[in-house]
Amino acid sequence: MDFIVQRKCLETRLNALSSGMLAGQGLSAFARDGVAIDDEVNLLTRQSKMTSLMGREVKAILTALDRMEAGEYGYCRICGSDISSEHLSAHPESPFCESCSA
């Protein structure tokens, strides 16, 4: 099976996340300008959670790209079945079929 579309989607998302993570480094400095300490703490907490979520997504994308290189992409890591093209279109980073994802 050829996964050119999924690879392009994963690489595009990875680039967007990487750019966002780098841009997010300046949020705490921006928050200090005229923002109350409580608001800054809330902002930093949200920023930390967002960075953590983005980090997990980056890891999932990199893992999917590694599976492509190894010829393991498109097969469920739990049951070994083919992952449907519809599921991969919606979730290109997913290592699981719809049944095992549920």
Side-chain angles (χ1 to χ4, degrees):
M1 208 185 266
D2 193 6
F3 298 109
I4 294 171
V5 172
Q6 286 83 359
R7 177 183 295 280
K8 182 69 175 163
C9 180
L10 289 166
E11 290 172 344
T12 300
R13 182 65 182 149
L14 181 62
N15 288 335
L17 286 169
S18 297
S19 297
M21 290 175 88
L22 292 175
Q25 292 174 352
L27 283 177
S28 61
F30 173 76
R32 287 188 199 98
D33 294 335
V35 176
I37 295 297
D38 287 345
D39 291 340
E40 184 175 348
V41 169
N42 288 335
L43 177 65
L44 292 174
T45 299
R46 285 194 309 271
Q47 178 185 359
S48 176
K49 288 178 183 176
M50 181 65 99
T51 300
S52 177
L53 289 172
M54 290 169 62
R56 279 186 253 156
E57 187 173 356
V58 166
K59 183 178 178 183
I61 291 170
L62 292 173
T63 300
L65 292 170
D66 287 344
R67 286 194 322 272
M68 281 183 183
E69 292 300 316
E72 299 169 359
Y73 184 80
Y75 301 101
C76 180
R77 303 230 19 202
I78 294 175
C79 70
S81 297
D82 288 348
I83 302 173
S84 71
S85 59
E86 294 83 14
H87 187 68
L88 287 175
S89 292
H91 309 281
E93 73 287 350
S94 180
F96 309 116
C97 66
E98 287 183 80
S99 297
C100 293
S101 291

